[in-house]
């Protein structure tokens, strides 16, 4: 006799609650209330005739039976995701959606994207910007380019490149009333800061042997580095640049690097994609183009 399958909602609630060991976080992931998760788990336990969780004051533990049951349930949901990927693959293969941070899109990705489109005219690229990590189970995104150390759980991370950080300014500042001849001359100029890289100036001043009281001099702060870079191009002050964001502007003479002191950044850029899914041809093509475009820049 064929065993009757338990409810799919109950199994989803069980898998999420077991993964988080929390009804609250499972409810948030599945966009339902904690009460709904509790009822679905209770119904599943009744259907199976097995207790799945041991509920304590502030903790949730799996029973022995649940630990034995969980791997098969996870494998089944993964098979469902893979089957859905295969079903939708053909219809979506001409649209590639990439998420990244706005500054990286503006200063590095968009100026180079034309070469990818020339090589793959059959792929329509959609760029979205966000500073948050992508949730591939929720967001309609194929991959993301993110800055960090590559240690994000539940995703596949492929190394792209690293940055160095160093001051940059408009060429006009080299010959102005307060010319920049040596690092000490920074004292006479406005420092341009980026809030997301708020420690860069301190690190560089330390490496240059300059007093940290320079951080207290007049300055302007921006929340995105592409705005900091633009302010430097406009002659508003000296910015702490990073290779990916200023390489093209330096090459075209819009910015200059007044000193030879550069420091390696403590993280890098990664291409992040779903773990365990099918790598579609469009994503493979984009990954290979990125690898070729960033070669020699890390």
């Amino acid at each position: 006799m064929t065993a009757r399958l338990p409810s799919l909602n109950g199994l989803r609630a069980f898998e999420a609650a077991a993964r988080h060991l929390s009804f609250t976080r499972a409810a948030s992931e599945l966009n339902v209330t904690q009460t709904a998760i509790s009822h679905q788990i209770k119904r599943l336990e009744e259907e199976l005739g097995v207790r799945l969780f041991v509920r304590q004051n502030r903790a949730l533990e799996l029973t022995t039976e649940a630990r034995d049951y969980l791997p098969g349930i996870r494998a089944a949901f993964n098979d469902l995701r893979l089957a859905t990927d295969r079903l939708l693959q053909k219809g979506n293969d001409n649209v590639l959606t990439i998420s990244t941070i706005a500054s990286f899109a503006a200063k590095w990705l968009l100026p180079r994207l034309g070469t990818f489109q020339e090589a793959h005219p059959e792929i329509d690229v959609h760029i979205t910007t966000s500073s948050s990590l992508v949730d591939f189970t929720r967001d309609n995104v194929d991959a993301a380019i993110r800055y960090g150390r590559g240690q994000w759980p539940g995703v596949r991370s492929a190394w792209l490149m690293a940055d160095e950080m160093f001051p940059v300014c408009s060429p006009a500042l080299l010959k102005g009333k307060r010319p920049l001849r040596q690092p000490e001359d920074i004292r006479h100029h406005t420092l341009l800061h980026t809030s997301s890289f708020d420690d860069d100036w301190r690190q560089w001043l330390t490496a240059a042997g300059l007093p940290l009281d320079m951080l207290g001099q007049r300055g302007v702060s921006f929340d995105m580095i592409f705005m900091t870079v633009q302010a430097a191009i406009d002659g508003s002050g000296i910015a702490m640049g990073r290779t990916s964001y200023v390489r093209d502007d330096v090459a075209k003479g819009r910015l200059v690097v007044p000193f030879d002191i550069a420091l390696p950044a403590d993280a890098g850029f990664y291409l992040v994609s779903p773990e365990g899914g099918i790598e579609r041809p469009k994503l493979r093509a984009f990954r290979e183009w990125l690898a070729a475009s960033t070669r020699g820049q890390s």
Side-chain angles (χ1 to χ4, degrees):
M1 176 174 145
T2 303
R4 185 171 66 89
L5 291 175
S7 69
L8 183 60
N9 284 340
L11 292 175
R12 290 180 69 216
F14 165 64
E15 192 276 334
R19 180 160 27 88
H20 293 294
L21 287 179
S22 167
F23 285 0
T24 301
R25 289 196 289 271
S28 177
E29 176 182 317
L30 299 178
N31 199 28
V32 297
T33 65
Q34 182 179 349
T35 301
I37 292 291
S38 181
H39 285 326
Q40 289 168 1
I41 295 294
K42 183 177 179 181
R43 179 184 173 188
L44 180 63
E45 289 178 328
E46 291 173 350
E47 286 183 284
L48 297 172
V50 172
R51 191 179 186 188
L52 299 172
F53 293 98
V54 178
R55 301 163 181 82
Q56 299 179 349
N57 288 337
R58 293 192 176 183
L60 196 65
E61 293 183 4
L62 295 174
T63 64
T64 301
E65 293 81 1
R67 285 194 293 269
D68 291 339
Y69 192 42
L70 181 59
I73 298 303
R74 282 181 173 164
F77 277 114
N78 191 50
D79 285 345
L80 285 172
R81 294 186 187 101
L82 292 176
T84 304
D85 276 349
R86 294 188 188 99
L87 177 66
L88 300 178
Q89 181 175 349
K90 291 183 179 179
N92 290 330
D93 259 2
N94 65 326
V95 179
L96 177 68
T97 302
I98 301 295
S99 170
T100 188
I101 51 181
S103 292
F104 185 81
K107 301 303 293 183
W108 192 93
L109 182 58
L110 297 186
R112 293 165 173 78
L113 195 58
T115 61
F116 176 79
Q117 294 174 303
E118 288 176 5
H120 300 280
E122 76 284 2
I123 299 176
D124 295 328
V125 182
H126 180 205
I127 303 296
T128 67
T129 60
S130 171
S131 58
S132 303
L133 290 177
V134 170
D135 182 348
F136 290 109
T137 65
R138 181 194 63 206
D139 302 330
N140 186 25
V141 171
D142 294 295
I145 300 173
R146 287 293 182 265
Y147 182 82
R149 293 178 175 85
Q151 298 173 347
W152 299 290
V155 297
R156 178 190 305 168
S157 300
W159 168 261
L160 294 178
M161 60 183 171
D163 276 339
E164 287 186 328
M165 52 189 183
F166 44 84
V168 292
C169 64
S170 166
L173 264 64
L174 296 180
K175 305 174 183 178
K177 295 180 180 179
R178 300 281 189 172
L180 286 170
R181 297 190 180 95
Q182 54 191 358
E184 290 82 357
D185 295 331
I186 285 177
R187 186 181 293 277
H188 305 297
H189 295 269
T190 298
L191 299 187
L192 306 176
H193 303 264
T194 306
S195 56
S196 53
F197 299 124
D198 58 358
D199 200 40
D200 284 7
W201 268 115
R202 184 193 63 79
Q203 292 185 50
W204 190 88
L205 290 172
T206 300
L210 298 175
L212 294 182
D213 63 4
M214 286 187 175
L215 293 173
Q217 68 193 58
R218 65 186 184 277
V220 182
S221 182
F222 303 88
D223 62 350
M224 293 186 180
I225 193 170
F226 80 88
M227 293 190 292
T228 312
V229 171
Q230 186 58 50
I233 292 172
D234 294 340
S236 300
I238 305 171
M240 184 54 60
R242 287 181 171 235
T243 314
S244 301
Y245 301 106
V246 302
R247 183 193 304 272
D248 292 347
D249 293 314
V250 171
K252 294 178 180 179
R254 292 188 289 260
L255 289 173
V256 293
V257 182
F259 313 115
D260 292 334
I261 304 171
L263 299 180
D266 61 354
F269 290 94
Y270 291 80
L271 179 66
V272 180
S273 56
E275 187 178 55
I278 298 173
E279 185 175 74
R280 299 175 181 175
K282 61 182 180 181
L283 181 53
R284 186 182 309 115
F286 186 73
R287 177 174 52 77
E288 291 172 354
W289 172 79
L290 274 177
S293 299
T294 56
R295 194 169 295 127
Q297 297 187 25
S298 54

